[in-house]
Amino acid sequence: MLSLNFILWVSLSLSASAFASPVEQRNASPLAQFALQKVLSDASPIFGNYVSPNKKRKTETWMKAYPDSKRIVHMNIPGTHDASTWNYSQETQDALKHVTALNGFAQHETPPQWLRCQESSIATMLNAGIRAFDLRFAFDVTNSTLVFYHSRGLQSQTTTVEDLLFGLYTWLDDHPSEALFLSFQYEGGTTQYASNNAAVQMAMFNTLTSPSAKNYFLQTKGELGTLGQARGKITLFRRFDMDQLSSSYEAALPGLHFPPALWSDNGPDITLVYNEEKNLTAYIEDFYETGLEIGSSAELNIQLKYNLTAAHLLKATTESPDSLFWTWASSEYTSNVPVDTPRIMALGNGTELTPLGGVNQRLLPRLKQFKGKRVGIIMFDFFDTPSDLVETLLSL
């Protein structure tokens, strides 16, 4: 794990000239280039392997087609739910057992397929057109470093939040026409004594206000502007509080704040004011567990989730045109018997018991009916199935 001073040195070295091209920045010093390679290697268990730009992949730079004046709230933006889980498997879980045995904590024994929500790496997601990312953080098992979890499933003990951010910074250097939206949420119930305490909040504050973060995170606060303002930057969607620190820390953070207390758990139709002064409102669907009778069929659970998701998308096309609409097509019902995992809910179980597939397959024809309409941000599980799901959203 790299020291904070070393990471900051890399950041300052690579940002020495705000007007230098990405190639010039990385060639400024051989050591800086090697350091970046080291950070990207450290990030790879969560970020994936960095791939050089490919002009033939239109999804890499799809935002080029929009003028700078385009308002973010008027755009259709594909995103991924629990993006860090793409590499989570039984092998990952087994490999982390000896690490999580520290401090008397045992790695979560829930079957990994209950926690895995993606198949492709974040690097692949970026190149495939994904621009919004849902990520869950907490301290590692030593209560000292910010890493990624899904529930109590530790995703990697070695890849830090800072490592992943450097992967995103590098990608933005190579794709300055694009804008990213990062939904950060504190993941509770991870290690035995974990909490969103002052130490965690200070660590995240330092991460989000470092020299590199100030360069790459859009520094506006409390509102979404135009694509031109957001290009080459990350807009923070902050789903965690800074209530254990003084109000000055809260005031210093950029982006939009979605207080957890106002984000109704399992809410099919959430109305959340994120800027009270200007009455700026987000309309959110985050109905992720159906709660139907235990033993209900996968087909029935998928249909209910799809109905609520489709209803929210329809609302986005007809109401509040200048507000943020944020729809979560992701779901699971791991309390059911048999279990309906995120994969089953998104893609079906591959049998005649789910003849129409999952939520993703059912959304595809529905999205095509919204041609020319704004549907907003959509967060997918297993976004790459069907293969034309994201491109269909981008073609509206």
Side-chain angles (χ1 to χ4, degrees):
M1 213 174 283
L2 297 178
S3 70
L4 179 59
N5 288 337
F6 183 67
I7 290 176
L8 292 177
W9 177 85
V10 175
S11 172
L12 292 170
S13 297
L14 295 174
S15 305
S17 172
F19 302 101
S21 70
V23 172
E24 290 171 332
Q25 288 176 1
R26 290 180 209 161
N27 289 340
S29 161
L31 183 56
Q33 186 176 10
F34 294 143
L36 179 59
Q37 292 172 355
K38 174 68 165 62
V39 173
L40 291 178
S41 176
D42 290 345
S44 61
I46 299 296
F47 181 75
N49 295 320
Y50 193 82
V51 179
S52 298
N54 184 343
K55 293 182 179 180
K56 294 182 180 180
R57 279 194 295 260
K58 294 182 180 180
T59 52
E60 279 194 36
T61 55
W62 64 265
M63 288 180 167
K64 275 186 177 180
Y66 293 90
D68 284 349
S69 59
K70 186 75 170 179
R71 292 187 61 188
I72 297 298
V73 294
H74 294 163
M75 297 184 69
N76 297 324
I77 299 174
T80 48
H81 161 251
D82 262 306
S84 68
T85 62
W86 67 275
N87 200 25
Y88 194 64
S89 64
Q90 188 63 55
E91 290 75 16
T92 306
Q93 194 175 84
D94 291 344
L96 290 170
K97 283 181 179 177
H98 73 283
V99 174
T100 54
L102 295 171
N103 298 338
F105 173 71
Q107 171 71 357
H108 194 29
E109 294 296 336
T110 298
Q113 61 267 28
W114 292 20
L115 302 178
R116 185 167 182 164
C117 303
Q118 303 298 333
E119 196 68 45
S120 299
S121 71
I122 291 175
T124 299
M125 294 177 194
L126 287 161
N127 292 334
I130 299 298
R131 296 292 176 268
F133 298 88
D134 164 49
L135 293 164
R136 318 294 176 92
F137 70 89
F139 266 164
D140 70 342
V141 296
T142 67
N143 287 315
S144 62
T145 305
L146 293 174
V147 293
F148 297 99
Y149 288 85
H150 181 191
S151 184
R152 284 179 62 186
L154 175 63
Q155 304 299 298
S156 171
Q157 173 62 15
T158 58
T159 299
T160 67
V161 169
E162 188 100 34
D163 292 333
L164 173 68
L165 290 179
F166 267 85
L168 298 178
Y169 301 158
T170 304
W171 191 88
L172 281 171
D173 275 350
D174 284 338
H175 304 83
S177 64
E178 307 306 288
L180 304 182
F181 303 87
L182 185 54
S183 173
F184 258 148
Q185 178 180 355
Y186 176 75
E187 189 74 305
T190 53
T191 58
Q192 187 174 0
Y193 302 108
S195 67
N196 188 21
N197 57 27
V200 171
Q201 293 181 12
M202 180 60 75
M204 183 53 78
F205 176 84
N206 290 336
T207 298
L208 295 174
T209 58
S210 69
S212 56
K214 287 183 176 180
N215 186 65
Y216 286 96
F217 276 85
L218 188 64
Q219 293 301 300
T220 55
K221 184 178 177 67
E223 57 187 311
L224 291 170
T226 65
L227 177 58
Q229 295 168 326
R231 288 193 202 273
K233 302 290 184 179
I234 300 170
T235 298
L236 176 64
F237 287 177
R238 180 164 61 89
R239 293 184 59 190
F240 61 92
D241 295 325
M242 301 290 284
D243 55 342
Q244 301 302 304
L245 304 175
S246 72
S247 59
S248 62
Y249 290 92
E250 177 94 25
L253 287 179
L256 278 57
H257 182 208
F258 298 92
L262 301 182
W263 188 297
S264 303
D265 185 53
N266 209 31
D269 192 9
I270 303 168
T271 299
L272 196 158
V273 176
Y274 59 86
N275 184 323
E276 293 185 0
E277 181 180 350
K278 296 184 178 182
N279 195 35
L280 300 179
T281 303
Y283 296 95
I284 303 162
E285 178 270 314
D286 188 23
F287 184 76
Y288 61 88
E289 181 160 331
T290 67
L292 294 176
E293 184 179 355
I294 297 295
S296 55
S297 69
E299 176 72 9
L300 185 59
N301 284 287
I302 291 168
Q303 188 64 49
L304 176 57
K305 169 60 184 178
Y306 165 75
N307 289 345
L308 291 169
T309 299
H312 198 258
L313 294 175
L314 178 61
K315 181 178 177 179
T317 68
T318 58
E319 300 181 21
S320 305
D322 295 326
S323 294
L324 172 63
F325 272 80
W326 196 0
T327 302
W328 296 69
S330 54
S331 59
E332 53 85 12
Y333 190 13
T334 53
S335 301
N336 200 16
V337 180
V339 166
D340 294 319
T341 64
R343 183 186 295 274
I344 290 173
M345 292 293 293
L347 308 180
N349 59 19
T351 76
E352 67 278 2
L353 298 178
T354 54
L356 300 179
V359 172
N360 290 7
Q361 286 91 345
R362 297 170 203 225
L363 277 177
L364 189 60
R366 188 67 176 119
L367 287 174
K368 292 177 180 179
Q369 295 174 356
F370 292 139
K371 188 71 175 178
K373 302 290 187 179
R374 182 283 304 263
V375 295
I377 302 174
I378 306 180
M379 310 297 281
F380 297 107
D381 280 341
F382 302 98
F383 77 96
D384 36 11
T385 302
S387 60
D388 56 344
L389 181 62
V390 168
E391 291 191 33
T392 297
L393 174 58
L394 295 180
S395 69
L396 298 185

